[in-house]
Amino acid sequence: MSIFGDKLEKCVREKGSRVVLALDLSPQVGEKDFRRKLLVRSRRILGEVEEHIVGVKMNFQLLLPLGLFDYLRFLVEDASSYGLPVIMDCKLNDVEHTNEWASRYFFEAGFDALIANPFVGWKGGLDVVFNVARDYGRGVILLVYMSHPGAVEGYGQKIVNDRGETCFQYEVFAEKAKSWGAEGVVVGATQPKIIERVSGIIGRKIPIFSPGIGIQGGVISEAFQAGTTYAIVGRSIYQSQDPEHAAREIKEKINEVIERGE
Ligand code: BMP
């Protein structure tokens, strides 16, 4: 297991939570000093909710305005000081040489894991990403089925696998997550049946991260009963009047479902 997996499990033990915060605050572009204000708001929310979460996911919404080696590093440092693993949600999806540098930059900047898109394939695509991650002791999380309705067009399409059997694209991606050594998969919380199927393929060793709870329509009990390991939650927390209260409630709701299921 990588540093990412270790940090995550330690957080679960210490914080008793299964919530990963999607810190997707929007900058008020054009407003005076908008980058600094975005950083200040993001740091404040992270500080308010840190005791109820086990990881932070950041994506282009923060990366582009804040800059990887610029303001963003303060957030990565904050997360680390709270003991939280930090995931770069770049959905990496290119050829070898650019994937390699993107991965190196993210790991050099302190990210513990990154999210990649298995559509790009192994040879000359994601092979290098897994190799770089291994060298740095970090993790790669694969998209297996996304939470939005259009996911059916790609992740949900019917295909013929290497064994000549008709199956769904996401079933092949779940198998690849196992054989490639992924440290997690993303399956939308909006798709409990698919979570169940993927869980059946990958087993309990690879965690399932499920975004889409709340505003996108995913339901905590359905996702966790189907096999979700961690909920990725953004707007329901950071858009709340009281993010600390919202994060605590989501954490407790998940824990109730897990306790009832055991
Ligand atoms: P929210 O809880 O506000 O709906 O945010 C969900 C987060 O998960 C966002 O950061 C989004 O980029 C991410 N996400 C998603 O919603 N669906 C996916 O299938 C994969 C994602 O990474």
Side-chain angles (χ1 to χ4, degrees):
M1 197 190 290
S2 70
I3 297 168
F4 169 64
D6 287 341
K7 264 195 187 176
L8 192 60
E9 289 193 356
K10 187 162 180 270
C11 264
V12 173
R13 282 196 305 275
E14 290 176 358
K15 301 193 184 225
S17 172
R18 296 274 174 176
V19 181
V20 172
L21 174 69
L23 195 54
D24 301 331
L25 299 189
S26 327
Q28 304 298 314
V29 181
E31 193 188 343
K32 187 169 173 281
D33 230 2
F34 75 88
R35 294 172 66 243
R36 200 187 51 79
K37 285 178 182 158
L38 176 64
L39 173 67
V40 170
R41 280 168 55 223
S42 303
R43 292 183 91 170
R44 194 189 65 228
I45 301 238
L46 181 56
E48 282 172 18
V49 307
E50 60 89 9
E51 65 177 302
H52 304 303
I53 60 174
V54 291
V56 192
K57 183 181 82 66
M58 300 179 196
N59 69 17
F60 292 112
Q61 238 166 300
L62 287 188
L63 174 64
L64 295 179
L66 297 186
L68 187 60
F69 295 107
D70 194 3
Y71 281 170
L72 197 70
R73 77 194 152 87
F74 293 112
L75 275 172
V76 174
E77 280 169 19
D78 282 0
S80 300
S81 73
Y82 300 132
L84 297 167
V86 202
I87 300 167
M88 172 39 67
D89 182 5
C90 51
K91 300 187 173 73
L92 209 56
N93 195 30
D94 203 356
V95 294
E96 201 167 41
H97 61 294
T98 71
N99 276 351
E100 175 173 357
W101 279 105
S103 314
R104 284 189 190 284
Y105 281 133
F106 289 132
F107 296 141
E108 285 291 336
F111 283 89
D112 297 291
L114 60 76
I115 299 182
N117 195 342
F119 269 109
V120 75
W122 180 253
K123 198 165 186 311
L126 292 189
D127 50 359
V128 70
V129 178
F130 278 84
N131 290 339
V132 171
R134 199 192 43 237
D135 291 347
Y136 278 83
R138 313 294 167 87
V140 179
I141 298 171
L142 285 184
L143 293 173
V144 166
Y145 197 101
M146 292 184 69
S147 57
H148 63 301
V152 69
E153 296 167 29
Y155 301 92
Q157 68 190 332
K158 275 210 169 135
I159 57 159
V160 176
N161 67 16
D162 290 349
R163 302 183 290 275
E165 303 153 348
T166 303
C167 65
F168 290 105
Q169 182 69 72
Y170 64 82
E171 295 175 308
V172 171
F173 287 162
E175 284 170 11
K176 287 186 192 299
K178 252 167 82 170
S179 60
W180 293 355
E183 296 243 353
V185 297
V186 172
V187 183
T190 48
Q191 302 292 340
K193 287 207 171 79
I194 295 177
I195 295 172
E196 204 171 337
R197 176 70 187 124
V198 170
S199 172
I201 296 171
I202 63 178
R204 294 181 73 91
K205 280 198 187 138
I206 304 177
I208 299 179
F209 294 82
S210 294
I213 277 163
I215 295 174
Q216 294 187 48
V219 176
I220 287 175
S221 56
E222 291 176 8
F224 278 84
Q225 277 159 11
T228 289
T229 326
Y230 301 102
I232 294 176
V233 187
R235 289 165 291 179
S236 305
I237 294 176
Y238 66 74
Q239 284 183 350
S240 155
Q241 291 294 324
D242 184 347
E244 189 273 334
H245 179 77
R248 177 156 31 93
E249 264 194 351
I250 295 169
K251 172 185 81 174
E252 287 171 357
K253 182 91 208 285
I254 293 170
N255 289 343
E256 266 172 41
V257 172
I258 293 173
E259 273 165 34
R260 257 190 283 131
E262 282 172 355

